[in-house]
Amino acid sequence: MSFPHHRPRRLRATNALRRLTTEFRLDPAELILPAFIREGLNNPLPINSMPGVVQHSTESLKRAAVQAVEHGVGGIMLFGVPAERDATGSASLDPDGVLNKAIRDVHAEVGDDLVVMSDLCLDEFTDHGHCGVLNASGGVDNDATLEIYADMAVAQARAGAQVLAPSGMMDGQVAVIRQALDAAGFEETSVLAYAAKYASAFYGPFREAVDSQLTGDRRTYQMDPGNRREALLEVKLDLAEGADMVMVKPAMSYLDILADVAAMSPVPVSAYQVSGEYAMIEAAAANGWIDRRRAIEESVLSIRRAGASMVLTYWATELAGWLKNP
Ligand code: PBG
């Protein structure tokens, strides 16, 4: 034997030894709960493709936020599903629109006990389902979209969002949002940039969650799953534009990207364990094919280990409960 003194199994012998020598462990404070609110609901509505996740009513959303606080969850990311959609997503700017109202309600409910974050994108609000407005030839018009994002940013900050999360992958979105926030006196509002967001099949269930109207795909603005180097360019651009935090999305199929970004980013790095990742584990667990709790814990841990300091996961509250009472 060439290394007689190295027997890694020594440190695996007991629970106490394993606990002492583990390199990464999860903490509820670094979890972010994505939550959907749908306009006009009196009761929460289950999402078929995401068992356990619902479209919230105002009341159920407030309860979910309070529950997250009670479990020590770090933040909540709000997505709105409006009753009416149009070509420019105008409901996103209405101070009483579903998302802006939800931000106000949740903020009033939890104050500063939970970081209130909002998705800043047009796809839930447009009648064509794209993340921006369309030009004459039907493509997504980058710069016309930026003008709307700027107004959305101010509307969301005014409603009380502490962190805005632009997820549309328009070029220059962080700069425009930062400028609009500063001009309106919201210097304290942070931007969490979806910096490296891939055109992924794993968003499938989310499309049901937000009643997406999209018929095509988002490949002209979201990243090509075949690209690794380009993620660093996206992150560098967002940092130069003033991003306070960055995100890699999805998480599990992009852990190499996450590790790359974590190695170079001077700001906190988050990763989004998306709807399809959730649905796969839930489906396998429902069939008795994997141990649900262990699979959830292991999947989120892998995302932390790859370099995320924060993880967006639909299991945030449940997982936080397990971490508090192992
Ligand atoms: C776009 C957005 C999407 C998700 C978060 N923000 C969908 C998309 O880009 O098609 C996906 C989240 C998930 O799948 O859990 N506003």
Side-chain angles (χ1 to χ4, degrees), residues 10-31:
R10 281 183 195 124
L11 298 184
R12 298 175 196 149
T14 67
N15 199 35
L17 271 168
R18 290 191 295 271
R19 196 180 56 183
L20 180 71
T21 58
T22 197
E23 293 175 49
F24 290 90
R25 56 166 59 87
L26 296 171
D27 183 328
E30 66 211 10
L31 302 177

Side-chain angles (χ1 to χ4, degrees), residues 298-321:
E298 187 177 327
S299 69
V300 178
L301 185 62
S302 75
I303 297 165
R304 274 284 285 122
R305 194 189 59 233
S309 40
M310 297 165 288
V311 182
L312 292 99
T313 172
Y314 297 98
W315 291 300
T317 304
E318 187 178 13
L319 177 54

Side-chain angles (χ1 to χ4, degrees), residues 219-240:
R219 283 182 237 197
T220 68
Y221 41 104
Q222 296 181 346
M223 287 179 63
D224 178 346
N227 288 357
R228 181 168 181 174
R229 203 195 326 271
E230 189 190 5
L232 299 182
L233 172 62
E234 286 283 4
V235 170
K236 282 181 188 161
L237 289 171
D238 285 354
L239 289 171

Side-chain angles (χ1 to χ4, degrees), residues 67-89:
Q67 210 187 11
V69 171
E70 288 167 354
H71 286 73
V73 168
I76 189 167
M77 178 70 76
L78 300 173
F79 294 88
V81 185
E84 309 279 342
R85 299 174 155 106
D86 59 25
T88 60

Side-chain angles (χ1 to χ4, degrees), residues 34 36 50 77 79 119-124 129 131 149 165-169 194 197-207 209-210 212 214 218 221-222 247 249-250 272-278 312 314:
F36 307 104
M50 301 178 75
M77 178 70 76
F79 294 88
D119 183 62
L120 200 166
C121 192
L122 278 174
D123 65 314
E124 293 93 351
C131 294
Y149 283 2
S167 63
M169 291 298 283
Y194 283 70
K197 178 175 178 181
Y198 286 83
S200 171
F202 294 106
Y203 305 148
F206 177 93
R207 306 266 162 99
V210 300
S212 174
L214 188 70
R218 307 196 196 285
Y221 41 104
Q222 296 181 346
M247 189 197 296
K249 177 186 177 183
Y272 196 142
Q273 186 177 46
V274 301
S275 57
E277 301 178 56
Y278 176 92
L312 292 99
Y314 297 98

Side-chain angles (χ1 to χ4, degrees), residues 256-271:
D256 55 333
I257 310 298
L258 185 52
D260 288 353
V261 170
M264 58 73 89
S265 174
V267 302
V269 176
S270 62

Side-chain angles (χ1 to χ4, degrees), residues 3-312:
F3 297 105
H5 304 298
H6 288 97
R7 284 178 172 266
R9 287 188 55 190
R10 281 183 195 124
L11 298 184
R12 298 175 196 149
T14 67
N15 199 35
L17 271 168
R18 290 191 295 271
R19 196 180 56 183
L20 180 71
T21 58
T22 197
E23 293 175 49
F24 290 90
R25 56 166 59 87
L26 296 171
D27 183 328
E30 66 211 10
L31 302 177
I32 299 167
L33 175 71
F36 307 104
I37 171 139
R38 176 165 171 178
E39 188 166 9
L41 283 187
N42 292 318
N43 291 299
L45 202 63
I47 299 164
N48 282 323
S49 50
M50 301 178 75
V53 179
V54 299
Q55 291 181 327
H56 281 290
S57 65
T58 300
E59 287 310 312
S60 75
L61 177 64
K62 287 198 252 178
R63 281 198 301 276
V66 169
Q67 210 187 11
V69 171
E70 288 167 354
H71 286 73
V73 168
I76 189 167
M77 178 70 76
L78 300 173
F79 294 88
V81 185
E84 309 279 342
R85 299 174 155 106
D86 59 25
T88 60
S90 58
S92 65
L93 302 180
D94 180 352
D96 293 316
V98 61
L99 179 55
N100 295 324
K101 184 175 167 302
I103 294 168
R104 257 198 330 272
D105 290 343
V106 170
H107 182 60
E109 194 73 20
V110 300
D112 286 337
D113 292 340
L114 186 66
V115 180
V116 179
M117 310 181 166
S118 53
D119 183 62
L120 200 166
C121 192
L122 278 174
D123 65 314
E124 293 93 351
F125 295 95
T126 52
D127 54 13
H128 44 73
H130 275 295
C131 294
V133 291
L134 306 183
N135 58 28
S137 46
V140 172
D141 186 330
N142 195 87
D143 296 4
T145 300
L146 293 184
E147 290 178 30
I148 303 179
Y149 283 2
D151 293 340
M152 273 183 90
V154 174
Q156 295 185 355
R158 194 164 280 144
Q162 214 167 6
V163 177
L164 309 186
S167 63
M169 291 298 283
M170 294 302 126
D171 293 334
Q173 61 186 10
V174 173
V176 162
I177 288 167
R178 183 71 269 157
Q179 213 169 13
L181 289 172
D182 291 349
F186 293 108
E187 292 90 353
E188 304 294 322
T189 306
S190 303
V191 176
L192 162 54
Y194 283 70
K197 178 175 178 181
Y198 286 83
S200 171
F202 294 106
Y203 305 148
F206 177 93
R207 306 266 162 99
E208 180 194 343
V210 300
D211 297 328
S212 174
Q213 308 296 305
L214 188 70
T215 48
D217 60 57
R218 307 196 196 285
R219 283 182 237 197
T220 68
Y221 41 104
Q222 296 181 346
M223 287 179 63
D224 178 346
N227 288 357
R228 181 168 181 174
R229 203 195 326 271
E230 189 190 5
L232 299 182
L233 172 62
E234 286 283 4
V235 170
K236 282 181 188 161
L237 289 171
D238 285 354
L239 289 171
E241 292 175 28
D244 300 286
M245 298 179 273
V246 293
M247 189 197 296
V248 172
K249 177 186 177 183
M252 287 171 75
S253 291
Y254 296 85
L255 295 180
D256 55 333
I257 310 298
L258 185 52
D260 288 353
V261 170
M264 58 73 89
S265 174
V267 302
V269 176
S270 62
Y272 196 142
Q273 186 177 46
V274 301
S275 57
E277 301 178 56
Y278 176 92
M280 284 194 296
I281 290 178
E282 288 291 350
N287 276 294
W289 295 337
I290 52 172
D291 179 321
R292 179 173 180 275
R293 175 167 169 174
R294 286 188 56 201
I296 291 171
E297 290 178 338
E298 187 177 327
S299 69
V300 178
L301 185 62
S302 75
I303 297 165
R304 274 284 285 122
R305 194 189 59 233
S309 40
M310 297 165 288
V311 182
L312 292 99

